[in-house]
Amino acid sequence: MKIILVEDNESLNRLVSFSLEKAGHEVHGFMMASELIENYQSLKPDLLLLDFSLPDMNGRELVEVLQEMKYDAPFVIVTGHSDIKLAVELMKMGALDFVVKDESFQEVLPAVVERVNKHIIIQKDNEKYQKQLVESEKLYRNTVNQIPDPILYYYKGEPFYINQAFERILGYDMESLRAEKWKRLKAKTHFKKIDIWFENASENEVYPVFEMQLKTSQGKLIYVLVKAVKTKFNDKDANMILFSDITEKRQFEARLMKSIIDTEEKERIRFARDLHDELGPILSGIKLYVDLQKRNNPNPQNDDELCQKITDLIDSAVSISRNLSGDLIPGVLLDFGVKKAIAGFVEQMSHPVSTEINFESNLDIRLEQNVEITLFRVVKELVNNSLKHSECNSIDVQLLYSENGIVRLFYEDDGKGFDFDDTLQNAKRTGLGLSNITNRLNMIQATCNIETSPGNGFALSASIDTQNG
């Protein structure tokens, strides 16, 4: 360790220097405070040993000058018995220790210096560690901020860091998140399940990736894939949530699905009309000619049986074509609209089952054809699912229209319910059921909310703005 000793007693200066050099230190001894100030920059000492009483200034004055010049080497005060109170004051100004000049002074000083040296080494190591930690955190923050997807860190329910993409895409800063908005945002997500998982997860373990909708601070709905990782931040446990914006992907899929369904519905309508308008009359005409032949034949005993069989087959063909046409696209839907079509379907389904099905609607206008077809298909699939799987006693369907052009569909059954997340994931893999319903509603830009859990029935609400369609 490099030490500057300032002691105006020349012999004592030499003795102390010799003692410290013998202990392995590099010592530069001066008689005056001004010599210390003059040589400080060139020597860059690790420790100062300052005699409190010097010819050109006292210890307090010297310390004040050093601090003013930002010479920040640690220092120890060497003082006589009469100056102990002043030495204590200098301790408050930053002195690491003080040594009294008595008969054991030369023996005590090396031990004090050694103790101070250890303190300095520990302090430098801590400063080095803190600097590395700051640099590491700075590098980590810069890296996180370069990631284009929103990232949020929180621990025990409290957010403490977000990257720039989080602010840019979702529109929330840390101040707004801490002002209750985080709780509202969290309440609409799967974060409660993530928090439970976090308690028993190991470091760097990843929660199963899931998809959800988030509302930005501007009220815009976006689709995101959510990935949660148990990690560390500033050496503390933390939950890192990565949101990958897949809105454009979902919008493309919605447009593709709309195109497919539109094409499918057009073909259904064309095929239904062909069956109803073309095949039906042909079959009816054939039956007419068979009846005519039967009446004109004077002795048709053998032909009667044949004609009857032909007639029966034609009747069956006409019935089948009519049923196929109705299944593909109900004529009442095309002619009278979705309200009449749903009412007819509900009446048809109510007779053979014990489940009570109720339908209410104040809709007295026609909607766009794709909206009407979608609403009818959704209600039909919901009712079929409830009757098939839910073991419900009653089903309630409401289709309501408000003056501002909003159409709202409410559907509820009192069945056994199900785990929504698991069922939705299965539906996405199979492409059927619940996924089909949500895809159809997304196609007409409907906002949809589903509430269900095991033992608590099923409820769906959807809202369509027909004026912005």
Side-chain angles (χ1 to χ4, degrees):
M1 183 168 61
K2 186 184 292 186
I3 301 173
I4 290 182
L5 169 65
V6 185
E7 169 59 60
D8 61 338
N9 185 315
E10 185 175 357
S11 60
L12 186 58
N13 193 313
R14 289 178 180 176
L15 286 171
V16 171
S17 296
F18 176 78
S19 177
L20 294 174
E21 287 172 350
K22 188 177 179 181
H25 302 290
E26 178 185 340
V27 183
H28 299 268
F30 298 114
M31 307 284 289
M32 308 284 285
S34 57
E35 293 177 304
L36 162 62
I37 296 170
E38 183 180 347
N39 290 277
Y40 184 94
Q41 287 286 48
S42 60
L43 293 175
K44 297 190 182 321
D46 299 309
L47 176 67
L48 304 178
L49 293 177
L50 307 178
D51 186 7
F52 183 78
S53 300
L54 295 169
D56 49 352
M57 62 181 73
N58 63 38
R60 183 191 293 108
E61 293 170 338
L62 176 55
V63 170
E64 289 174 349
V65 171
L66 292 174
Q67 290 178 343
E68 185 177 345
M69 299 180 72
K70 301 190 183 305
Y71 291 167
D72 56 357
F75 61 94
V76 172
I77 296 296
V78 179
T79 181
H81 286 283
S82 60
D83 299 323
I84 290 179
K85 185 178 179 180
L86 295 174
V88 172
E89 291 182 13
L90 285 173
M91 292 279 289
K92 296 179 182 179
M93 295 178 66
L96 294 181
D97 207 339
F98 70 91
V99 184
V100 178
K101 293 180 184 177
D102 57 17
E103 61 278 0
S104 60
F105 165 67
Q106 294 185 53
E107 297 176 3
V108 171
L109 186 60
V112 171
V113 170
E114 188 61 31
R115 185 173 66 249
V116 170
N117 184 34
K118 290 180 179 179
H119 174 82
I120 293 171
I121 290 173
I122 293 173
Q123 188 176 41
K124 285 184 177 180
D125 286 344
N126 286 338
E127 290 174 355
K128 182 180 178 181
Y129 174 76
Q130 289 295 328
K131 185 177 180 181
Q132 289 175 344
L133 191 62
V134 169
E135 291 298 321
S136 177
E137 180 183 341
K138 183 179 178 181
L139 177 61
Y140 187 81
R141 287 175 181 263
N142 287 338
T143 302
V144 170
N145 279 326
Q146 294 303 314
I147 296 174
D149 294 319
I151 293 178
L152 176 144
Y153 283 86
Y154 75 94
Y155 181 62
K156 291 188 175 179
E158 293 299 325
F160 60 84
Y161 180 73
I162 55 176
N163 68 344
Q164 293 173 357
F166 192 97
E167 294 189 42
R168 185 180 68 254
I169 295 175
L170 298 181
Y172 296 103
D173 56 20
M174 282 305 302
E175 183 177 351
S176 62
L177 282 180
R178 287 172 176 148
E180 296 299 318
K181 290 188 177 180
W182 161 246
K183 293 181 180 178
R184 293 200 294 270
L185 179 67
K186 186 178 177 182
K188 298 178 180 179
T189 66
H190 297 64
F191 285 9
K192 185 177 290 185
K193 291 185 177 180
I194 295 176
D195 289 344
I196 295 172
W197 160 84
F198 181 86
E199 294 301 321
N200 298 315
S202 56
E203 188 175 345
N204 296 323
E205 187 173 339
V206 180
Y207 187 82
V209 177
F210 60 91
E211 179 183 328
M212 62 177 290
Q213 278 187 301
L214 278 181
K215 184 177 285 188
T216 68
S217 62
Q218 294 79 29
K220 178 183 175 183
L221 280 173
I222 64 172
Y223 292 87
V224 292
L225 280 179
V226 182
K227 181 179 181 180
V229 182
K230 183 172 182 178
T231 183
K232 289 199 178 283
F233 195 96
N234 286 354
D235 213 29
K236 295 180 180 179
D237 285 340
N239 211 336
M240 183 192 81
I241 309 294
L242 174 68
F243 303 90
S244 297
D245 188 353
I246 56 171
T247 304
E248 290 187 5
K249 179 183 177 183
R250 286 292 170 263
Q251 289 174 344
F252 171 77
E253 290 175 351
R255 290 193 297 270
L256 180 61
M257 179 64 69
K258 183 177 186 302
S259 176
I260 292 172
I261 293 178
D262 283 348
T263 302
E264 178 184 293
E265 295 297 346
K266 287 177 183 177
E267 285 302 299
R268 284 173 178 266
I269 293 170
R270 183 190 65 79
F271 191 42
R273 282 176 175 163
D274 286 348
L275 282 172
H276 185 272
D277 298 340
E278 297 185 25
L279 181 59
I282 291 173
L283 292 172
S284 297
I286 293 172
K287 182 181 179 183
L288 181 63
Y289 282 118
V290 170
D291 290 342
L292 184 62
Q293 174 65 25
K294 185 177 179 180
R295 286 197 300 271
N296 292 337
N297 192 339
N299 189 19
Q301 184 173 358
N302 295 330
D303 291 341
D304 280 350
E305 293 182 7
L306 179 62
C307 288
Q308 187 59 48
K309 290 180 180 179
I310 294 174
T311 299
D312 291 342
L313 289 172
I314 293 172
D315 286 341
S316 296
V318 171
S319 176
I320 291 171
S321 67
R322 186 179 296 114
N323 290 336
L324 282 172
S325 175
D327 286 341
L328 286 168
I329 187 76
V332 67
L333 176 61
L334 296 178
D335 297 335
F336 300 103
V338 66
K339 177 181 176 181
K340 292 286 187 181
I342 294 177
F345 170 71
V346 167
E347 183 179 359
Q348 177 188 358
M349 297 299 295
S350 296
H351 296 300
V353 298
S354 59
T355 301
E356 181 183 357
I357 307 177
N358 303 307
F359 174 61
E360 297 178 17
S361 178
N362 67 345
L363 183 66
D364 294 323
I365 64 169
R366 294 298 302 269
L367 306 175
E368 289 185 11
Q369 188 176 79
N370 68 316
V371 174
E372 290 194 333
I373 291 173
T374 297
L375 288 173
F376 177 76
R377 300 269 185 227
V378 165
V379 171
K380 185 176 180 181
E381 188 152 4
L382 287 170
V383 171
N384 286 331
N385 285 346
S386 292
L387 294 177
K388 186 176 180 180
H389 302 293
S390 75
E391 302 175 8
C392 62
N393 294 314
S394 66
I395 297 173
D396 293 309
V397 184
Q398 290 183 314
L399 186 63
L400 306 177
Y401 180 78
S402 58
E403 293 181 356
N404 59 358
I406 303 296
V407 176
R408 290 184 172 85
L409 171 66
F410 298 98
Y411 180 92
E412 185 175 8
D413 71 38
D414 61 355
K416 62 183 181 180
F418 53 87
D419 188 302
F420 176 76
D421 295 332
D422 290 344
T423 303
L424 184 60
Q425 290 301 319
N426 292 332
K428 286 178 179 177
R429 287 194 292 270
T430 60
L432 301 173
L434 193 58
S435 181
N436 201 19
I437 291 170
T438 55
N439 284 337
R440 284 184 178 275
L441 291 172
N442 287 336
M443 183 194 71
I444 58 172
Q445 298 181 345
T447 58
C448 175
N449 183 55
I450 294 175
E451 294 183 6
T452 185
S453 60
N456 293 309
F458 173 88
L460 176 144
S461 61
S463 178
I464 307 104
D465 189 349
T466 58
Q467 294 183 351
N468 291 334

